[in-house]
Amino acid sequence: MSEGNTKKFLYINRKAPHGSIYALESLEVVLIGAAFEQDVSLAFLDDGVFQIAAGQDTAGIGSKNFAKTYRALGDYEVRKLYVERESLAERGLSESDLMPITYEDEDDDYAEKPSIHLVDRAEMARIIRDSDVVLSF
């Protein structure tokens, strides 16, 4: 696909990772978008911040634990995961409660760099406004 056809896709995740299909569906759609070489970003707001919380264990609820898939996003060139700082704080979480999600930067001798970027609500609003396509889950 030529660079002129690349759109900025933003997938907004607002739901907890389990108890509904939203989180898993979002992740699958993200991987599809990335396969078509689009500029893909994810945003985690509200209870969506729990999707990338460290130490998820679904054994007791009989649900598939797909959390580890987020760590593979860098392999699909999905390198921008925006987390709303206020949503974390409102749920008693901090950045240290999140999974370490990184990617290898081939332009920097494959240095490992963080994919998660904490942003405040004003910055999140700008990111949403600057996206060509916004899909909310």
Side-chain angles (χ1 to χ4, degrees):
M1 179 173 285
S2 71
E3 193 163 306
N5 294 329
T6 302
K7 292 193 178 283
K8 294 171 76 175
F9 281 74
L10 177 66
Y11 298 89
I12 299 177
N13 297 280
R14 295 180 180 269
K15 307 286 186 191
H18 307 289
S20 75
I21 194 71
Y22 290 103
L24 182 57
E25 288 287 316
S26 171
L27 191 53
E28 290 178 352
V29 173
V30 164
L31 294 173
I32 292 168
F36 286 96
E37 300 180 11
Q38 298 300 307
D39 181 358
V40 173
S41 301
L42 284 82
F44 296 90
L45 321 169
D46 305 327
D47 286 343
V49 297
F50 289 115
Q51 292 182 27
I52 54 173
Q56 295 183 42
D57 181 1
T58 61
I61 61 173
S63 178
K64 180 178 180 180
N65 188 351
F66 54 88
K68 293 178 182 174
T69 307
Y70 291 105
R71 292 183 174 173
L73 289 175
D75 295 337
Y76 294 87
E77 299 192 20
V78 178
R79 301 172 175 173
K80 296 173 283 186
L81 281 63
Y82 300 108
V83 179
E84 188 182 74
R85 184 175 283 115
E86 291 87 344
S87 291
L88 276 179
E90 290 164 2
R91 285 150 185 84
L93 300 174
S94 68
E95 186 173 12
S96 65
D97 294 310
L98 302 177
M99 292 185 285
I101 301 173
T102 60
Y103 70 94
E104 292 180 347
D105 186 349
E106 62 271 6
D107 295 330
D108 189 12
D109 199 24
Y110 294 92
E112 196 167 275
K113 297 185 175 179
S115 297
I116 293 177
H117 307 279
L118 292 186
V119 298
D120 63 23
R121 284 199 168 121
E123 179 67 9
M124 186 66 80
R126 186 199 60 75
I127 291 165
I128 294 169
R129 188 176 52 248
D130 291 347
S131 298
D132 297 315
V133 179
V134 177
L135 299 169
S136 186
F137 291 87

